[in-house]
Amino acid sequence: MIREPVLNALILAALLLVPLGALAMDEPFLITLATKVAIFALAGVGLNIALGLGGMVSFGHAAFFGLGGYATGVLASHALNYDPLMTEPFQIEGTTQMLVHWPVALLLSGLAALAIGALSLRTSGIFFIMITLAFAQMIFYFAISWPAYGGEDGLSIYVRSEFPGLNTLDPIQFFAIAFALLALALGFSSLIARSRFGLALQGARQNEARLRATGIGPYRIRLVAFVISGMITGLAGALFADLNRFVSPAMLSWQTSGEIIVFVILGGVGRLFGPVAGAGLYILLEHNLGGLTEYWKLPFGFLLLAVVLFARGGLIGLLAGEKRDG
Amino acid sequence: MAEPVLSIRGLRKSFGALTATDDVTLELRRGEIHALIGPNGAGKSTLIKQIVGELRQDAGEIRLRGEEISALPAEARARKGLARSFQVSSLASEYTVLQNVVLAVTGAQGRAFGFLRPALSDPSLTGPARRALARVGLGAREGVRAADLSHGERRSLEVAMALALEPAAFLLDEPMAGMGPEGSARLTELLSGLRSEAPILLVEHDMDAVFALADRITVLVYGAVIATGSVAEIRAHPEVRRAYLGEEE
């Protein structure tokens, strides 16, 4: 068994060293894969706050991922077409600046999470899962049927968005951005988990009646957590759009929600670095098994089954043992 | 006479044809331990659930320090100063003993929305939590997970969490249930001293503890109050002896 902080440091180091090694060996594709891991991990870090800390099994996090993606896509496409976003009552131009895309993505996914959470959190268990799924599907079909931004075909971003002082078209520099945001989100997530708020949130998961008896209403706690969770996943979506230079309704699909859940479960629900380990393993398997056979999801399914049945703590639990608090 | 801390008037609750609470009127006065006794199925738990806000009464009112609270959700009643312990230990079982009590202090302070500072390194949380643990004799066990505690320790932790709320009134639902004689004696002593801080409505099956602790006793049978009075009055009450104590002298 490795102590969890040591394991976390190792995982972070691996995620940093792989693209650096790839840079040295001139393997840009590996850098892109590592960037994908960082972005998926970021989406998972978001979900893990709701699912891991709060016990809220959201099957609709693709909504936030996709909204973040469309925030980037829509703003960038307006800027690249020299077409203002709106002219009445005042003119808003598109922009290719990530530093504008991100706050917009955070705001948009936060507002969506507030609305979806406010309604979904009145239910629990299977109903919560189904309602979050239903909301995400609504947004998915809306994106498909709205022709202004490509509808079903999606929306291309011809040039990757810009970040002051960096050349985002250089894979390693774009990786650095994704990695830095992931590290920030992990730091924030770790603070939250140990804070008063995190204590109450995890208390709500363990024993709702007890939380009420101490004078804390679980609803507001969960709602705030759900919003934070959605915002972080939304930020990941904004980066994902820039990675692919393409946004499409697929980002909003229920398969995407499922994948984000898989990252968390594979790595370890409620473990700080669970989503990082999970996303890393997922991409690794997709790349290697996917190279062997188109049907790689079949053996992958068995692996997931094995994790759920025999290794509840996921990869982190397998390597670092049971979760220790405080 | 001073206003009672907790006052229940004309409380009624039915489940279909079953009347679980039948026009119950009860007062919890400053400085007293008021025991609520009655045979199994008398509606003690149903009554407690209505007071803490887990169940909504059909009729009647519940006042805490003069304020009507029966429309408030459970967490709002707790914030108003109603501390309860659960009949079956109800803890955050993955948390350590200290984390459980820190959670209660967080609730008592009404400030659960702190995001950055670690709760366990905040002395305004751990200080009161450790004092509460010391009072119930769990000071040395603060790092143990609640799930790994013995039954008696879990009961004590329940009481510590109620203490940490610094409430206006305690509602303790069988705090001694399943405790060993030593733990029972220790808790009896603690509760006895506690009444000067806040009055206690005590549901308890252990008659020795009830007679040792209670200033007044209310007897509930089939959801209705059949007697309220001092320990001596209740002991002598013929109906109580027949219905509850089961003596046939």
Side-chain angles (χ1 to χ4, degrees):
Chain A
M1 290 286 162
I2 314 173
R3 285 184 49 239
E4 192 167 338
V6 178
L7 180 62
N8 292 348
L10 287 176
I11 293 172
L12 208 59
L15 184 55
L16 192 59
L17 288 177
V18 166
L20 286 179
L23 183 68
M25 293 186 298
D26 198 25
E27 293 268 10
F29 180 66
L30 258 183
I31 304 179
T32 302
L33 272 189
T35 311
K36 206 168 163 185
V37 170
I39 293 171
F40 280 166
L42 181 62
V45 168
L47 177 65
N48 206 20
I49 290 176
L51 175 62
L53 300 182
M56 296 173 267
V57 185
S58 165
F59 200 4
H61 261 51
F64 314 125
F65 193 66
L67 283 172
Y70 271 95
T72 286
V74 168
L75 285 171
S77 77
H78 277 280
L80 296 170
N81 297 331
Y82 302 102
D83 170 25
L85 203 60
M86 60 188 255
T87 48
E88 294 291 333
F90 43 83
Q91 188 154 333
I92 297 181
E93 300 284 351
T95 169
T96 57
Q97 286 299 329
M98 288 186 187
L99 289 180
V100 180
H101 294 171
W102 296 347
V104 173
L106 288 169
L107 186 73
L108 208 60
S109 47
L111 286 175
L114 183 66
I116 294 175
L119 294 165
S120 312
L121 285 169
R122 299 191 180 278
T123 67
S124 59
I126 187 78
F127 300 103
F128 180 80
I129 299 175
M130 286 297 134
I131 289 181
T132 49
L133 171 65
F135 276 115
Q137 289 298 92
M138 275 168 57
I139 299 176
F140 170 75
Y141 283 110
F142 180 77
I144 278 192
S145 55
W146 198 25
Y149 296 108
E152 210 167 347
D153 298 330
L155 186 62
S156 286
I157 307 167
Y158 303 112
V159 185
R160 187 174 285 158
S161 309
E162 297 156 34
F163 190 91
L166 292 178
N167 173 14
T168 56
L169 292 172
D170 179 8
I172 195 73
Q173 296 195 33
F174 185 61
F175 169 80
I177 292 173
F179 184 81
L181 285 182
L182 172 64
L184 274 177
L186 284 167
F188 182 61
S189 177
S190 147
L191 281 178
I192 280 193
R194 286 178 295 161
S195 69
R196 289 164 182 258
F197 176 75
L199 194 72
L201 178 62
Q202 295 168 81
R205 185 193 71 225
Q206 295 172 50
N207 191 334
E208 185 174 324
R210 168 47 76 186
L211 194 73
R212 287 182 196 280
T214 60
I216 303 172
Y219 179 78
R220 284 204 318 172
I221 297 281
R222 287 193 179 122
L223 184 56
V224 170
F226 193 75
V227 169
I228 294 173
S229 166
M231 288 171 81
I232 295 176
T233 301
L235 183 62
L239 288 175
F240 193 65
D242 265 329
L243 175 70
N244 300 324
R245 278 174 279 170
F246 179 64
V247 198
S248 78
M251 276 181 81
L252 291 158
S253 69
W254 64 268
Q255 287 94 333
T256 302
S257 292
E259 278 175 13
I260 304 174
I261 294 179
V262 165
F263 304 149
V264 175
I265 292 180
L266 211 54
V269 176
R271 311 300 282 260
L272 182 60
F273 271 67
V276 188
L281 187 62
Y282 183 87
I283 297 293
L284 205 68
L285 291 173
E286 182 185 42
H287 188 58
N288 290 311
L289 290 178
L292 295 176
T293 164
E294 196 180 332
Y295 305 107
W296 72 278
K297 286 206 169 161
L298 181 67
F300 181 75
F302 285 119
L303 175 72
L304 196 60
L305 209 58
V307 167
V308 173
L309 288 177
F310 306 113
R312 281 294 178 82
L315 202 56
I316 302 280
L318 215 56
L319 295 171
E322 220 176 292
K323 188 175 177 180
R324 274 183 292 266
D325 274 314
Chain B
M1 203 183 93
E3 183 185 48
V5 176
L6 182 69
S7 150
I8 294 153
R9 298 222 173 284
L11 211 63
R12 283 178 192 280
K13 177 82 191 170
S14 308
F15 300 103
L18 176 76
T19 306
T21 303
D22 187 1
D23 196 16
V24 168
T25 292
L26 192 122
E27 278 183 356
L28 184 62
R29 295 175 191 153
R30 196 166 302 283
E32 76 169 349
I33 293 181
H34 191 141
L36 184 64
I37 65 173
N40 281 328
K44 303 186 294 288
S45 287
T46 306
L47 180 58
I48 292 286
K49 281 180 183 166
Q50 289 169 80
I51 300 174
V52 298
E54 238 177 76
L55 278 178
R56 189 72 196 270
Q57 77 274 22
D58 296 336
E61 58 173 38
I62 304 166
R63 291 181 178 275
L64 183 67
R65 293 188 282 201
E67 185 186 352
E68 167 72 334
I69 59 165
S70 62
L72 299 176
E75 61 269 22
R77 297 186 201 194
R79 281 198 296 274
K80 297 267 179 206
L82 215 50
R84 60 137 1 154
S85 76
F86 290 78
Q87 185 182 11
V88 177
S89 291
S90 178
L91 304 160
S93 53
E94 295 168 28
Y95 278 165
T96 62
V97 168
L98 183 63
Q99 279 175 315
N100 267 284
V101 190
V102 163
L103 183 62
V105 180
T106 304
Q109 291 181 356
R111 291 184 47 235
F113 286 93
F115 294 91
L116 299 181
R117 184 167 187 186
L120 290 187
S121 52
D122 183 345
S124 78
L125 291 174
T126 53
R130 291 207 165 98
R131 280 196 292 281
L133 283 174
R135 288 184 71 181
V136 300
L138 279 179
R141 302 281 281 162
E142 67 167 52
V144 179
R145 272 177 16 140
D148 299 332
L149 291 177
S150 74
H151 177 81
E153 287 173 327
R154 243 175 276 167
R155 304 304 299 163
S156 301
L157 181 52
E158 285 269 338
V159 175
M161 290 179 80
L163 283 176
L165 293 176
E166 295 182 355
F170 290 101
L171 292 170
L172 304 182
D173 199 351
E174 300 191 26
M176 329 243 181
M179 260 194 177
E182 199 180 313
S184 228
R186 182 188 185 110
L187 196 55
T188 304
E189 198 187 317
L190 174 69
L191 295 186
S192 182
L194 208 56
R195 74 185 104 191
S196 59
E197 290 170 39
I200 304 172
L201 184 64
L202 178 70
V203 177
E204 188 50 67
H205 273 299
D206 178 348
M207 280 304 135
D208 293 335
V210 167
F211 288 140
L213 277 172
D215 300 294
R216 290 194 303 150
I217 298 176
T218 290
V219 186
L220 212 57
V221 175
Y222 295 122
V225 173
I226 62 166
T228 295
S230 69
V231 173
E233 283 165 351
I234 294 300
R235 275 189 151 153
H237 199 291
E239 233 182 302
V240 174
R241 295 176 80 106
R242 199 168 51 243
Y244 184 53
L245 299 174
E247 291 174 20
E248 299 167 25
E249 291 164 60

